[in-house]
Amino acid sequence: MIDVLVVEDNPVAADAHRLYVDRVPGFRVVGVTHSGRDALRALESTAIDLVLLDLYLPDAHGLDVVRAMRGVGHPADVITVTSARDLTVVRTAVSLGVVQYLLKPFTFATLRDKLTAYARFRAQDGEAAGQAEVDGVFGSLRGSENLTLPKGMSGETLDAVLAALRAAPEGLSAAAAAERVGASRVTARRYLEYLADNALAVRKPQYGAVGRPEVWYRLSTPAR
């Protein structure tokens, strides 16, 4: 499980964020605080993987909380949750290692997508085979909606293939994906390979009774 600290000065919003996070598989809220001071105390006393951090706190700016975290060597990742649209603030957040920047107001689906993208990023370890795999690790934080598609590929078809994979946790072959989305096998394989190259899906050989194994694809699994 990914243990989350919610830091939000508005109690109603904090409770909503807690409920949202707890609805996402692989995540659980282990603490809720309403100030920067209490957030730092919680980080000292509780094992926390991810901080869902409001930037406008009553006693400190959220980015100052991040600076304090890094100053004492706390490794927890940070997703900011804020209404701040100042691009200077965004750039500062990036320079401090904030992994996602989520604007208020937002829906559950938006937060869910941010968290699942983060989980894909966190789940990857080992040694990269090359630049493409390194790029895929960084790309996994962006989520599919921000991927730059190669010429001839459409966002609508990509979304359809993603939906087919979500409905088949055991995975799909290119032929099965093609049948579900109403595309040719070649087209389905192209999109599946694209998702795998960008760390949004993983390849898995499926061995049958005879012949060469068939490649199956499934969505990258969030860390549990």
Side-chain angles (χ1 to χ4, degrees), residues 14-114:
D15 192 51
H17 296 170
R18 178 184 61 80
L19 291 172
Y20 277 0
V21 171
D22 282 338
R23 288 174 59 188
V24 181
F27 291 82
R28 65 184 174 192
V29 173
V30 295
V32 177
T33 66
H34 307 295
S35 69
R37 179 182 61 254
D38 289 343
L40 293 172
R41 288 175 178 169
L43 286 162
E44 290 177 359
S45 61
T46 308
I48 291 166
D49 302 308
L50 176 67
V51 181
L52 198 64
L53 178 65
D54 183 24
L55 291 189
Y56 296 123
L57 301 170
D59 61 340
H61 194 281
L63 294 183
D64 290 331
V65 175
V66 180
R67 291 187 181 95
M69 288 171 55
R70 302 308 180 224
V72 298
H74 201 290
D77 291 318
V78 177
I79 295 178
T80 57
V81 180
T82 179
S83 58
R85 289 168 167 78
D86 186 337
L87 293 181
T88 300
V89 175
V90 175
R91 288 194 298 270
T92 301
V94 171
S95 72
L96 291 173
V98 170
V99 296
Q100 298 274 18
Y101 196 100
L102 181 58
L103 287 174
K104 297 178 180 178
F106 57 86
T107 64
F108 165 70
T110 300
L111 177 59
R112 178 199 61 209
D113 290 347
K114 294 290 186 185

Side-chain angles (χ1 to χ4, degrees), residues 139-140 142-150 158 162 194-195 198 200:
S140 64
R142 299 195 303 268
S144 63
E145 71 277 6
N146 292 320
L147 294 175
T148 301
L149 295 178
L158 182 65
L162 278 167
Y194 178 75
L195 291 171
N198 283 278
L200 297 176

